[in-house]
Amino acid sequence: MDTLIGLLVAAPLLGAGILLTGGRRLDRAGHLLGTLLALTSFVLAAVLFADMLGKDTGRRTLTSHLFTWVPVDGFQAQVGFQLDQLSMTFVLLITGVGTLIHIYSIGYMEHDERRRRFFGYLNLFLAAMLLLVLADNYFLLYAGWEGVGLASYLLIGFWQHKPSAATAAKKAFLVNRVGDIGLSVAIMLLFTTFGSFAFSDVFPKVGQASATQHATVTGIGFMLLLAACGKSAQVPLQSWLGDAMEGPTPVSALIHAATMVTAGVYLITRSGAIFNAAPDAQTAVVTVGAVTLIFGAIVGCAKDDIKKALAGSTMSQIGYMIMAAGLGPIGYVFAIMHLVTHGFFKAGLFLGAGSVMHGMNDEVDMRKFGGLRKYMPITFVTFGLGYLAIIGFPGLSGFFSKDKIIEAAFAKGGTEGWILGTCALIGAAITAFYMTRVMLMTFFGEERWKDGRTATASPDEPSAEPAAAHSAHGAPHPHESPSSMTIPMIILAFGSVFAGGLFSINSAFVKWLEPVTGHSEGDSPVSTGTVTAGTMVVLVLGVLVAWLMYGRRPVPAVAPKGSLLTRAARRDLLQDDFNHVVLVRGGEHLTRSLVYLDHSLVDGVVNGTAASVGGLSGRLRRLQNGYVRSYAVSMLGGTAVVVAATLLMRAV
Amino acid sequence: MNPANYLYLAALLFTIGAAGVLIRRNAIVVFMCVELMLNACNLAFVTFSRLHGNLDGQVIAFFTMVVAAAEVVVGLAIIVSIYRSRHSASVDDANLMKL
């Protein structure tokens, strides 16, 4: 069984290798090969899962040591895998959703002549993500972490002929780099403090850290949080996720909604031992989570681009997960549970959005949709189920997982618990509002894409998906997508509906993860019933407000000017402006002052030395006047001085 | 006769020679002053030889004479060739050896 773990990673890696080096002769079968290898990985994962279920709770962890990567005295970087319940959950999510999205991409990318390359990148992503969650030490995890960053960069910029896509890819890469520095610093600190970076070595030592080591552990916690912020698009490193929607929609669904952006949650949960020992770092984690869940939700409310609205939502939902992970043992399990259910419904929503765009000539502006439920019934139903799941409609998966997080936030206790719980409730209300808005603007209301208004497809905002740009002229003819696209959507919709309920029967998910992450109930000041009731109230409130604004009266095809907050939210709450003013301009000022310093001080010293030596030698040159007699004088003078000195020394 | 008197004479001759080298411009005169200095040295050597009662000073005096003869040969040749090319025997006219 142990050897299967290696194969799990090897299958998609092999696919990436073949597809990216195979050349054009693989163009016709490349997508099938990529999908097949993703499916292989999923089957292996299912086999391992069945095997794991058959074992006792305490003996479920599988380890597999392949070889020593960097064997230096005292520094042993191993390539080893560790498959426990937490990794298993991720592996199933990654390979399962990954396979579905591979299938979806066969249809979605049909007209793209670089489809083979696309599947190569997708396989590369799967391999790197599996490496990330299967690694048994931080060093190997870092390799996977960078691998998914690379795959994300390549896929966001897949349509690199579009300047906006190329810029977005660069932006994602750069912002991620800031977070990655956090992770590398954390790993270095771990090594210098504990002499190892293997999970099994570090975590027991963290518990018995001395007082000085304690400060370092807090520092490590902060650095890990920075890493998580970068990868998971949390405030203050959130600005790349909205732009990342420039990539093809399957990429947005797989990488920027279901799997890669949740790597930060995995990192924090996996490093639970470190965060449990560093309460200050935990406070920072919950703060970041709470701020982001509100931030992302507000951004999601104002966007007219369907994918960017969903991106804001992703940010907000990951904010929930990060907050739950920051709550400690009360929240770890629910963070992961929400992660899995979110993986289902958000991937489903993105695939639905992709399907809508596919049928609407790659239009992304929701103000040019409307009334599409008649034309794409399957997309409507699957998107609708994903919508009900994300707003937490009773009985669907989002209801179970989000409700648990809100309960856990209250259970933190004290003022902190009240603040976090309130934030989570407000977030739930806004979630209900913006998702209802997306739903109403896309599938209900009047058909705003008729009467030729879309024919002049918004010159200021070019279509995001140029793959089918050849058909972008003339009024769209909305139609249902091919079955290769609808089947994954249907399967994900099933997941969105049933996953949460399935996990909650007998607290199955809690029992499943408890041996790895630990779990405690906490001490909630409000009862479970009250929280559920509160969630329902804010849910109804959010939906009602959205219906009043977008359902009851027609949606204008051109966005109204809106209030100050709306306009700020349309610009991603001024995050880019903030970065520009603080970082870009600040950096410019810094470099300018450094250049000035270089010119005046450093160059001044160098030039001054040169000038003084030059002046001195100019004066010395006068001595060489060519007159023999003056030389004779200096010789005589010199001799006289030497003789006088000699005599003087003798006298003394 | 007091041998120190020879030393005074040698010092006097050397001083006259050195002053001549520094003051006079004519290359021939400068040259003769150099000879004067060399011979002042010779006189001092011989005197010291007498004072110390060994022959070392006398031997050195012979060496000096050989060197002086060689110097005269080379020096006069240079002076003559300079005079031929520049029509002047002034040492201040030959000042090309400078930066």
Side-chain angles (χ1 to χ4, degrees), chain A residues 31-32 35 99-110 115 119 351 355 358 378 480-491:
Chain A
H31 52 284
L32 295 177
T35 312
T99 307
L100 289 178
I101 286 173
H102 272 76
I103 296 169
Y104 179 90
S105 305
I106 294 177
Y108 190 84
M109 300 296 283
E110 195 168 4
R115 181 163 66 161
F119 276 84
L351 295 189
S355 174
H358 192 79
I378 301 177
E480 190 53 270
S481 302
S483 58
S484 69
M485 287 166 72
T486 48
I487 289 170
M489 284 155 58
I490 293 167
I491 297 175

Side-chain angles (χ1 to χ4, degrees), chain A residues 533-556:
Chain A
T535 321
M536 284 307 111
V537 169
V538 296
L539 165 68
V540 171
L541 214 65
V543 172
L544 201 67
V545 172
W547 183 77
L548 286 176
M549 285 177 71
Y550 296 98
R552 204 176 49 158
R553 51 172 188 247
V555 181

Side-chain angles (χ1 to χ4, degrees), chain A residues 515-589:
Chain A
V516 183
T517 59
H519 182 64
S520 69
E521 283 299 328
D523 178 27
S524 181
V526 283
S527 71
T528 320
T530 321
V531 172
T532 312
T535 321
M536 284 307 111
V537 169
V538 296
L539 165 68
V540 171
L541 214 65
V543 172
L544 201 67
V545 172
W547 183 77
L548 286 176
M549 285 177 71
Y550 296 98
R552 204 176 49 158
R553 51 172 188 247
V555 181
V558 177
K561 194 153 173 261
S563 66
L564 206 60
L565 181 66
T566 316
R567 272 178 285 160
R570 273 191 203 131
R571 295 182 60 116
D572 300 324
L573 282 183
L574 306 179
Q575 58 190 7
D576 284 334
D577 306 70
F578 175 82
N579 285 350
H580 187 77
V581 170
V582 174
L583 299 175
V584 178
R585 297 269 282 283
E588 272 175 6
H589 282 300

Side-chain angles (χ1 to χ4, degrees), chain B residues 58-81:
Chain B
Q58 312 247 15
V59 174
I60 299 282
F62 276 108
F63 279 106
T64 314
M65 280 181 216
V66 174
V67 170
E71 187 224 336
V72 167
V73 173
V74 178
L76 275 178
I78 293 171
I79 291 169
V80 168
S81 73

Side-chain angles (χ1 to χ4, degrees), chain A residues 413-429:
Chain A
T415 327
E416 201 186 345
W418 278 105
I419 295 172
L420 294 175
T422 315
C423 280
L425 277 180
I426 294 172

Side-chain angles (χ1 to χ4, degrees), chain A residues 48 189 210 241 247 323 348 361 597 599 630 644:
Chain A
L48 283 164
L189 281 175
S210 62
L241 189 63
M323 188 182 83
N361 291 348
L597 208 66
H599 279 175
S630 82

Side-chain angles (χ1 to χ4, degrees), chain A residues 181-505:
Chain A
I181 286 171
L183 184 56
S184 62
V185 169
I187 294 173
M188 290 178 217
L189 281 175
L190 276 173
F191 186 73
T192 51
T193 316
F194 301 111
S196 169
F197 33 65
F199 296 149
S200 52
D201 285 343
V202 170
F203 294 153
K205 285 183 189 165
V206 171
Q208 18 186 290
S210 62
T212 44
Q213 282 178 334
H214 227 80
T216 321
V217 169
T218 307
I220 293 171
F222 275 110
M223 286 297 120
L224 290 174
L225 173 63
L226 180 66
C229 282
K231 199 57 91 195
S232 293
Q234 301 293 294
V235 176
L237 297 177
Q238 81 289 14
S239 64
W240 63 274
L241 189 63
D243 291 348
M245 295 301 128
E246 288 291 341
T249 308
V251 173
S252 310
L254 176 61
I255 301 186
H256 305 121
T259 54
M260 185 193 84
V261 285
T262 57
V265 183
Y266 171 77
L267 185 70
I268 292 177
T269 311
R270 177 57 87 194
S271 314
I274 294 174
F275 282 96
N276 291 344
D280 292 340
Q282 274 188 328
T283 311
V285 174
V286 287
T287 313
V288 164
V291 169
T292 312
L293 83 87
I294 302 276
F295 188 104
I298 293 174
V299 170
C301 290
K303 291 285 182 187
D304 287 332
D305 180 329
I306 186 169
K307 282 178 77 183
K308 289 196 172 163
L310 289 177
S313 155
T314 304
M315 216 184 270
S316 162
Q317 298 302 315
I318 296 172
Y320 272 107
M321 297 170 210
I322 294 274
M323 188 182 83
L327 293 172
I330 315 173
Y332 289 136
V333 174
F334 302 127
I336 301 299
M337 183 163 149
H338 193 53
L339 194 156
V340 175
T341 56
H342 175 256
F344 281 120
F345 57 69
K346 188 49 71 64
L349 286 170
F350 263 111
L351 295 189
S355 174
V356 169
M357 287 153 59
H358 192 79
M360 292 292 289
N361 291 348
D362 296 322
E363 178 60 62
V364 290
D365 189 351
M366 290 189 291
R367 293 190 185 275
K368 298 187 177 108
F369 294 162
L372 292 176
R373 65 182 186 281
K374 277 176 286 182
Y375 299 93
M376 1 185 128
I378 301 177
T379 308
F380 168 64
V381 171
T382 55
F383 196 93
L385 288 173
Y387 154 74
L388 290 177
I390 193 173
I391 63 170
F393 192 79
L396 277 71
S397 18
F399 168 74
F400 292 103
S401 54
K402 198 189 286 179
D403 209 42
K404 286 287 183 193
I405 291 183
I406 299 174
E407 276 171 31
F410 277 116
K412 180 75 177 171
T415 327
E416 201 186 345
W418 278 105
I419 295 172
L420 294 175
T422 315
C423 280
L425 277 180
I426 294 172
I430 308 179
T431 307
F433 171 78
Y434 67 70
M435 284 314 298
T436 312
R437 174 175 175 269
V438 169
M439 198 68 197
L440 290 175
M441 283 174 86
T442 307
F443 292 106
F444 293 90
E446 56 180 19
E447 299 167 353
R448 293 182 299 276
W449 39 271
K450 278 185 177 168
D451 64 305
R453 262 184 297 191
T454 37
T456 58
S458 53
D460 52 321
E461 203 170 336
S463 160
E465 321 268 307
H470 55 272
S471 61
H473 303 292
H477 304 283
H479 56 84
E480 190 53 270
S481 302
S483 58
S484 69
M485 287 166 72
T486 48
I487 289 170
M489 284 155 58
I490 293 167
I491 297 175
L492 286 171
F494 268 102
S496 317
V497 175
F498 298 114
L502 208 63
F503 291 161
S504 296
I505 299 170

